[in-house]
Amino acid sequence: MPDRLSSEAFDPLQEYAGLATVPAALTWSRLRTFLAVVDFGGVAAAADLLRVTAPAVSAAVSVLESELGTKLFAKSGRGVVPTEAGLVFAEHCRTLLGLVQTAREATRDAETARLRLGVVETAAETLLPGLLATFSTRHPGVELAIVVEPRDELFARLGHHELDLVLAGRPPRGSGFISRATRENSLIVVGAPGTGGNSTSGQRRDEVWLLRGHGSGTRETALGLLARMEPRPGVLTLGTQGACLAAARAGLGVTLVHLDAAKRDLELGALKEVRQRGTPLRRPWHLCTGPRPTRVAELFLAHVTDVGAAGEHPFRAVG
């Protein structure tokens, strides 16, 4: 391998020429248009979102397909679905556009930047309002962009540089994401007063377990507990945390829930903790970033770990 420190082996002009070989057809506008078609399943829907004409969207896709030499979409009913090549290209597009947005924000002062924060539903309903209220009071110039989605989708967005921070459970192993701050939390089983009490574990086998929607980490943990029961109780998927809690209050069954989410109902006596072998489960909240956090992410982390400023839900800095 040639020595890059040698003036004869390293030509700066040639080096920069190599960086300029991105095809002219791959414009940011066309990449964004392509992703809109992927996400909304059709040319017309993408055109409405982007406020352009449907022929303009079709033309952008055609230019990309011509440049790449492959079909990016296939017809499906009245809409389209990405081909295998389209799915691969979409992943790279998300990363490219996310990096551009991250680079743009990196040039701005943290006090006037845009904080892109992804949060799972439970934390959005319990922890986030107080944290955002104190943060916005302290840093009024920061623009907030909040995304509430299941854990796996949030970490996928973080990997594409579409988010600065994720507030969820522990980051996936081997993902490269870093937990910057944590807060204690636990998962418990709750039901209406009078629930449970006639088995060795305290849980009646005929009680239905109320489950969150697919993609929820709480759902996966609940299914893990159920897999160890014999016979297995019935399950009912209700989707949201609020729906599970409402159904539990009505006596429809029991549900695994974050203590933060059930705290008020427990204090009022509308719900009670149900004894279940293996619970409570320690499940701390984590604030996670990629290897290089943005300046506005660091500003938010400094705030939520400041006990005197963060309010009643401070986090503890990691490391």
Side-chain angles (χ1 to χ4, degrees), residues 69-89:
T70 187
K71 296 295 290 183
L72 297 175
F73 293 101
K75 289 188 177 298
S76 177
R78 295 184 178 180
V80 294
V81 294
T83 62
E84 183 176 349
L87 290 173
V88 171
F89 189 57

Side-chain angles (χ1 to χ4, degrees), residues 124-169:
E125 294 178 355
T126 56
L127 300 180
L128 192 61
L131 293 173
L132 290 184
T134 55
F135 179 74
S136 294
T137 299
R138 192 177 185 184
H139 305 286
V142 175
E143 178 187 350
L144 299 174
I146 311 301
V147 175
V148 181
E149 288 181 342
R151 169 184 177 272
D152 291 348
E153 294 181 27
L154 292 176
F155 281 114
R157 283 181 176 268
L158 185 61
H160 291 134
H161 303 274
E162 296 175 325
L163 297 172
D164 300 300
L165 274 166
V166 165
L167 172 51

Side-chain angles (χ1 to χ4, degrees), residues 14-52:
Q14 184 177 2
E15 186 81 358
Y16 280 98
L19 295 175
T21 58
V22 177
L26 303 185
T27 65
W28 302 121
S29 177
R30 289 190 183 117
L31 297 183
R32 187 174 65 249
T33 299
F34 163 74
L35 282 181
V37 180
V38 172
D39 292 338
F40 291 90
V43 170
D48 288 342
L49 174 73
L50 299 173
R51 298 182 180 179
V52 298

Side-chain angles (χ1 to χ4, degrees), residues 223-287:
L223 291 175
L225 291 173
L226 292 174
R228 297 195 291 269
M229 294 184 183
E230 188 61 42
R232 290 186 63 173
V235 299
L236 177 62
T237 297
L238 294 174
T240 67
Q241 170 187 268
C244 289
L245 286 171
R249 287 193 297 267
L252 190 59
V254 299
T255 190
L256 184 71
V257 69
H258 290 274
L259 177 59
D260 286 323
K263 187 176 181 181
R264 181 64 173 165
D265 282 322
L266 293 170
E267 292 173 347
L268 294 175
L271 291 173
K272 75 165 192 175
E273 183 174 356
V274 177
R275 292 173 52 214
Q276 171 61 50
R277 185 177 292 119
T279 65
L281 293 162
R282 183 175 177 270
R283 290 293 187 272
W285 292 115
H286 292 258
L287 271 166

Side-chain angles (χ1 to χ4, degrees), residues 84-102:
E84 183 176 349
L87 290 173
V88 171
F89 189 57
E91 290 298 296
H92 289 287
C93 285
R94 295 187 197 283
T95 300
L96 287 170
L97 293 172
L99 279 168
V100 169
Q101 182 62 30
T102 299

